Amino acid sequence: MHSLLPTLRRTLGDDAVLTDAADTAGYVTDWTGAFAGAALAVVRPADTAGVADTVRLCAQAGVAVVPQGGNTGLVGGAVPDGSGGDVVLSLERMRRVRGLDPVGDTITVEAGVVLRAVQERAEAAGRLFPLSLGSEGSCTVGGTVSTNAGGTAVLRYGMMRELVLGLEVVLPDGRVWDGLRALRKDNTGYDLKQLFIGAEGTLGIVTAAVLRLFPATPRRATALVALASADAATELLPLLRQECGGTLTTWELLGRQAMELVLTHVPGARDPFDSTHEWYGLVELAAGSDDVGERLEAALHAAAAQGLLLDAVIAGNPAQRTSLWTLREGLAEAQKLDGLSVKHDITVPISSLAGFVAEVGPRLRALLPGLRLVTYGHVGDGNLHYNLSAPVGDEAALRAAAGELTGLIYDAVAERGGSISAEHGLGVLKRGAAATYKSEVELDLMRAVKRALDPGALMNPGKVLP
Amino acid sequence: MHSLLPTLRRTLGDDAVLTDAADTAGYVTDWTGAFAGAALAVVRPADTAGVADTVRLCAQAGVAVVPQGGNTGLVGGAVPDGSGGDVVLSLERMRRVRGLDPVGDTITVEAGVVLRAVQERAEAAGRLFPLSLGSEGSCTVGGTVSTNAGGTAVLRYGMMRELVLGLEVVLPDGRVWDGLRALRKDNTGYDLKQLFIGAEGTLGIVTAAVLRLFPATPRRATALVALASADAATELLPLLRQECGGTLTTWELLGRQAMELVLTHVPGARDPFDSTHEWYGLVELAAGSDDVGERLEAALHAAAAQGLLLDAVIAGNPAQRTSLWTLREGLAEAQKLDGLSVKHDITVPISSLAGFVAEVGPRLRALLPGLRLVTYGHVGDGNLHYNLSAPVGDEAALRAAAGELTGLIYDAVAERGGSISAEHGLGVLKRGAAATYKSEVELDLMRAVKRALDPGALMNPGKVLP
């Protein structure tokens, strides 16, 4: 037995240190099942001091630490490699809401608080915490900060980076940086919290955060529209922005094959249109007191007048609203049920998005006839989940061609000045591709930052940087 | 003559290198007149390659570089010290707008472009660039990025950090980092641009930026309101947010003595109310097509019904609007004309703001009877310009007490988890105070970042970190 284990048990208590395979299994394999590793132990501290103790003891023993929140990531960023030599540090017991300030519009929460709990606590105070994504029932504050999570309300509220006012972080040497400020403005030197947001736990461990709250938006208006082309989706964006003022919250794109997957696999999903269309847009407005229904109708009329819409259905009640959202939110599950899915989470400048779709799709299908393009995403952010499902009945063909298909997509993204990871991060899955497409100068800067903060390279090793 | 000078002249051209005292005077003294230094030379490159050459040649010669934009800073961050050994690198010749994308809502501009030119270029394209501050006719993109500038629209649009999508930066060794991405989302590793935003030129030199644009807001509604207390200003904030939806752009506070300074010193300034009040708020709504006038009236009625307003005057036309804004925008000039002004640019959590004002003012006046508290600022951001003007006719008394008064203010800010520099930065003026109030862990982190990026300590030496 590694001599670190009794020390950890003595310091944190026996129940905080898991080593039995049955206990650690859920922590060493990721949600997708694609990344399965092993750990020396899984440590579950109950507070910041416990996290600091764990990190300090591991550093003294030269043992690397893999921080983990809700383990809902898609790139293998929160699970250990197969060596069995690292400690997984789970933040799941740190679930305190430390405070909510309704005048300052802030909430202070520990890293293990689940995203939905933050949303609910805000709602109970008549406020809104706007970050919203598929895994919100399981993912945690620490994870969403460390991966700079996005989701379906980024268009209006920004990504997690823009929602964080302050952080508490355990540094790689076990010291605690108390940067839990609840300030809108603070220009007293380098904005250190930015280092840890989106760093995937490679520079330190986020233990708590001060997050921004917003006025509640109980009024919502939602529509699914049929579009003549992907072009129409980007052309509609400025019109929607102008017509809806600040109430435009969501503008999502779905391709026909994405829609078909959901209709096939998700119970209760139904196509609200009589005929099929190549592209769909899901639009949602939200406000405190504005008549967003009226606004949405006016916006859709203006869009129709410009020939940008083929058809539209507006949700008339909450059940209809849920039904429209199912078409979007059922996609992750539908792809999983359908079988092999080669996923790409890309951004291009919004003005290049339609051109990207028009050019790249046919080239992919030329490489692999019958390939199903499961295209959907946050068109208002230029972010597509540009996923590939196999020709029906031929997963082997997709498996064989996957590398070439992904290479083609990433090259096309790079040509347009895009990003090969819009919101999922790099983890293990994309660290190599990122290194390929980034400049040497940029990689040098990243390495310099890593060395400066984690000279022993003990924080989430092998993630982000190859 | 230093051997670097002929090398710089040969590389950049004679007209890019100024050494005569008459030519360099405007670059070595700051706008306030409080910081006067000397330089080996002032170098004015016309493009990024020229900046890179300058930095590389200076690095090779072991000469430090002081980057400078519009030289409008308030903390001595853009002028050299008195040694005469540093090179001032002015970005003022880099004035190209490299592109504007109306679909993607971005503009790409070089560091020397003046803020007002960005606003005007956006307006000509039917868009809005929202950053707005007193010095917008002189300050530059590079300076506003490097100081993370704020201003009067932060409440709605955020500070410069939130408006930057990409940067081009010349690193301390003369290499160029091309991070000029026009993407809403990019989670491919550390967000390097965050390092340079607000770093005051101590980690590298920003040469160009991709900035976010927004829908134009031609409709505006503006009011000055008389408030019973500073409390009322923070209590009004949630009400204004709720009633005005996303159209609330400005919510500024002015104390009576601030108002009096403007009325005394600024030609044409007039008090729109019949009687005097202790506190005033300036509120502005802006929108594309919304009837913001109606919204503002409704919001003010709701506020009056809750007893939060004593009086209000709504601007009925553009001239009246300008007249109300003069009371706010004339403050910098009025203080300068009035004489000595000891300035503090502080933030406290919004919920602590009224308490701060109520407690600290009397304590300051007890220390120096007759002291005039020129209090104004961005109450929606918790940011006060908490400035001190001398008892009438007794600047010597203020000069003598300044250190003690500032110490009292900063202690009270620190007790409330506030910031001693909300938007002006540290430069030389506040580097010492910041070091006093920051934790050792935080200072260590800042030093580690500085060493990692600028190991030779040649970028804007002595600024930010003591």
Side-chain angles (χ1 to χ4, degrees):
Chain A
M1 190 173 70
H2 197 292
S3 64
L4 174 63
L5 295 178
T7 315
L8 285 171
R9 288 211 165 90
R10 215 165 36 239
T11 311
L12 295 151
D14 280 345
D15 58 338
V17 182
L18 312 178
T19 50
D20 285 359
D23 294 334
T24 63
Y27 300 88
V28 298
T29 302
D30 84 323
W31 177 83
T32 68
F35 299 92
L40 183 63
V42 174
V43 182
R44 302 162 63 247
D47 54 24
T48 302
V51 176
D53 285 340
T54 306
V55 171
R56 193 186 64 252
L57 293 171
C58 287
Q60 285 166 1
V63 169
V65 174
V66 178
Q68 186 177 97
N71 193 12
T72 61
L74 295 169
V75 293
V79 289
D81 65 19
S83 69
D86 301 345
V87 161
V88 171
L89 196 162
S90 168
L91 283 301
E92 66 189 340
R93 286 173 68 201
M94 292 194 59
R95 296 212 173 193
R96 280 199 311 141
V97 175
R98 294 194 190 165
L100 186 149
D101 176 350
V103 175
D105 261 339
T106 61
I107 187 168
T108 305
V109 282
E110 293 186 341
V113 177
V114 168
L115 174 52
R116 183 165 292 151
V118 182
Q119 297 165 344
E120 288 171 353
R121 182 66 180 260
E123 198 179 344
R127 320 303 298 156
L128 171 75
F129 182 67
L131 195 80
S132 178
L133 52 152
S135 60
E136 62 195 27
S138 318
C139 70
T140 60
V141 167
T144 50
V145 170
S146 295
T147 58
N148 186 28
T152 53
V154 172
L155 181 62
R156 177 162 174 185
Y157 297 100
M159 298 180 77
M160 194 59 166
R161 187 179 298 279
E162 292 171 75
L163 305 176
V164 173
L165 290 179
L167 289 181
E168 177 186 85
V169 179
V170 172
L171 301 177
D173 60 5
R175 290 190 300 170
V176 178
W177 172 54
D178 178 1
L180 276 184
R181 288 170 207 133
L183 304 175
R184 252 55 181 181
K185 291 178 168 177
D186 179 20
N187 275 350
T188 55
Y190 310 145
D191 190 0
L192 298 170
K193 67 178 177 288
Q194 305 296 345
L195 287 167
F196 304 101
I197 301 169
E200 304 185 32
T202 62
L203 302 177
I205 299 178
V206 172
T207 48
V210 183
L211 305 176
R212 295 176 64 186
L213 300 178
F214 294 82
T217 55
R219 295 193 176 197
R220 299 197 168 199
T222 311
L224 189 76
V225 300
L227 302 166
S229 64
D231 263 313
T234 52
E235 281 172 39
L236 262 169
L237 181 61
L239 182 150
L240 289 172
R241 276 220 175 92
Q242 199 71 45
E243 292 286 329
C244 305
T247 68
L248 180 66
T249 304
T250 293
W251 178 226
E252 301 277 306
L253 181 72
L254 287 91
R256 179 63 203 174
Q257 289 189 309
M259 171 78 97
E260 278 174 11
L261 274 198
V262 179
L263 295 175
T264 303
H265 294 289
V266 176
R270 62 167 215 90
D271 186 343
F273 298 113
D274 295 330
S275 51
T276 64
H277 300 280
E278 272 308 291
W279 295 100
Y280 304 89
L282 181 70
V283 56
E284 187 163 280
L285 280 50
S289 54
D290 279 36
D291 188 342
V292 283
E294 198 176 282
R295 267 179 186 278
L296 179 58
E297 280 190 43
L300 295 183
H301 275 121
Q306 292 189 23
L308 295 169
L309 293 191
L310 300 177
D311 205 349
V313 50
I314 298 182
N317 56 49
Q320 287 176 11
R321 179 174 173 266
T322 302
S323 174
L324 296 183
W325 268 101
T326 296
L327 299 172
R328 170 65 185 85
E329 292 188 330
L331 271 160
E333 193 62 19
Q335 289 168 95
K336 204 170 178 180
L337 291 168
D338 191 71
L340 180 63
S341 171
V342 177
K343 296 185 193 298
H344 308 97
D345 167 40
I346 59 170
T347 328
V348 292
I350 295 165
S351 49
S352 304
L353 192 138
F356 174 90
V357 166
E359 184 197 312
V360 174
R363 291 176 58 199
L364 296 172
R365 287 211 179 93
L367 274 177
L368 182 59
L371 179 72
R372 287 174 295 160
L373 300 173
V374 182
T375 306
Y376 60 100
H378 319 291
V379 67
D381 315 317
N383 176 195
L384 289 182
H385 299 301
Y386 195 69
N387 299 344
L388 312 180
S389 287
V392 176
D394 194 1
E395 290 202 350
L398 176 56
R399 219 176 293 273
E404 198 179 356
L405 295 166
T406 295
L408 192 158
I409 292 169
Y410 286 175
D411 284 350
V413 166
E415 279 163 24
R416 288 162 176 82
S419 168
I420 63 158
S421 190
E423 51 181 20
H424 294 171
L426 297 180
V428 170
L429 183 65
K430 297 189 182 171
R431 61 186 180 183
T436 304
Y437 290 99
K438 282 187 184 290
S439 69
E440 204 46 47
V441 172
E442 184 149 338
L443 290 169
D444 277 356
L445 278 171
M446 284 174 57
R447 288 185 205 111
V449 169
K450 172 73 174 173
R451 269 196 310 271
L453 269 80
D454 180 25
L458 292 175
M459 301 306 298
N460 212 6
K463 314 296 163 59
V464 180
L465 284 162
Chain B
M1 190 174 69
H2 198 292
S3 64
L4 174 63
L5 295 178
T7 315
L8 284 171
R9 282 191 216 280
R10 215 165 38 238
T11 311
L12 294 152
D14 280 346
D15 59 338
V17 183
L18 311 178
T19 50
D20 286 359
D23 295 334
T24 63
Y27 300 88
V28 298
T29 302
D30 84 321
W31 177 84
T32 67
F35 298 92
L40 184 63
V42 174
V43 181
R44 303 162 63 247
D47 54 25
T48 303
V51 176
D53 286 340
T54 305
V55 171
R56 194 186 64 253
L57 292 170
C58 287
Q60 285 166 1
V63 169
V65 173
V66 179
Q68 186 177 97
N71 193 12
T72 61
L74 295 170
V75 292
V79 290
D81 65 20
S83 69
D86 301 346
V87 160
V88 171
L89 197 163
S90 168
L91 283 300
E92 66 188 340
R93 286 173 68 202
M94 292 194 60
R95 295 214 173 192
R96 281 198 310 141
V97 175
R98 293 193 191 165
L100 185 149
D101 176 350
V103 176
D105 262 338
T106 61
I107 187 169
T108 306
V109 282
E110 293 186 342
V113 176
V114 168
L115 174 53
R116 184 166 291 152
V118 182
Q119 297 166 342
E120 288 171 354
R121 182 66 179 260
E123 197 179 344
R127 320 303 299 155
L128 171 75
F129 182 68
L131 194 80
S132 178
L133 51 151
S135 61
E136 63 195 26
S138 317
C139 69
T140 60
V141 167
T144 49
V145 170
S146 296
T147 58
N148 185 27
T152 53
V154 171
L155 181 61
R156 177 162 174 185
Y157 297 101
M159 297 182 75
M160 193 59 164
R161 186 179 299 278
E162 291 171 75
L163 305 175
V164 173
L165 290 179
L167 288 181
E168 178 186 84
V169 178
V170 172
L171 302 176
D173 60 6
R175 291 190 299 171
V176 178
W177 172 54
D178 178 0
L180 274 183
R181 288 171 208 133
L183 303 176
R184 251 58 180 180
K185 291 179 169 177
D186 179 20
N187 274 351
T188 55
Y190 310 146
D191 190 1
L192 298 170
K193 66 177 178 290
Q194 305 295 346
L195 287 167
F196 304 102
I197 300 170
E200 304 185 33
T202 62
L203 302 177
I205 299 178
V206 172
T207 50
V210 182
L211 305 176
R212 295 176 66 185
L213 299 178
F214 294 81
T217 54
R219 296 194 176 196
R220 301 198 166 198
T222 312
L224 190 76
V225 299
L227 302 166
S229 64
D231 262 313
T234 52
E235 282 172 38
L236 261 169
L237 181 62
L239 183 150
L240 289 172
R241 276 219 175 94
Q242 199 70 44
E243 294 285 329
C244 305
T247 68
L248 180 66
T249 305
T250 293
W251 178 226
E252 301 276 306
L253 181 73
L254 286 91
R256 178 65 202 174
Q257 288 189 309
M259 172 79 98
E260 277 175 11
L261 274 197
V262 179
L263 296 174
T264 304
H265 294 289
V266 176
R270 62 168 214 87
D271 185 343
F273 298 112
D274 294 331
S275 51
T276 64
H277 301 282
E278 272 308 291
W279 295 100
Y280 305 90
L282 182 70
V283 56
E284 187 163 280
L285 280 52
S289 54
D290 278 36
D291 189 341
V292 284
E294 199 175 279
R295 268 180 185 279
L296 179 57
E297 278 190 44
L300 295 184
H301 274 120
Q306 293 190 22
L308 295 169
L309 293 191
L310 299 177
D311 204 348
V313 51
I314 297 182
N317 56 49
Q320 285 176 12
R321 179 174 171 267
T322 303
S323 174
L324 296 184
W325 269 100
T326 296
L327 298 172
R328 171 65 184 85
E329 292 189 329
L331 271 160
E333 192 64 18
Q335 288 167 97
K336 203 170 179 180
L337 291 168
D338 191 70
L340 179 63
S341 171
V342 177
K343 296 185 194 297
H344 309 95
D345 167 40
I346 59 169
T347 328
V348 291
I350 295 165
S351 49
S352 304
L353 194 138
F356 175 90
V357 166
E359 182 197 314
V360 175
R363 290 176 58 199
L364 295 171
R365 287 210 179 93
L367 274 176
L368 182 60
L371 179 72
R372 288 173 294 159
L373 299 173
V374 182
T375 306
Y376 60 101
H378 319 293
V379 67
D381 315 316
N383 175 198
L384 289 182
H385 298 301
Y386 196 69
N387 299 343
L388 311 179
S389 287
V392 176
D394 195 0
E395 290 201 351
L398 176 55
R399 217 175 295 273
E404 197 178 355
L405 296 166
T406 296
L408 192 158
I409 292 168
Y410 286 176
D411 285 350
V413 166
E415 280 163 25
R416 288 162 175 83
S419 168
I420 64 159
S421 189
E423 52 181 19
H424 294 170
L426 297 180
V428 170
L429 183 64
K430 297 187 183 172
R431 61 184 180 184
T436 304
Y437 290 99
K438 282 185 184 291
S439 69
E440 203 48 47
V441 173
E442 182 149 340
L443 291 169
D444 276 356
L445 278 171
M446 285 175 55
R447 289 185 204 110
V449 169
K450 171 73 174 174
R451 268 196 312 270
L453 271 80
D454 180 25
L458 292 175
M459 301 306 297
N460 212 7
K463 314 295 162 58
V464 180
L465 285 162

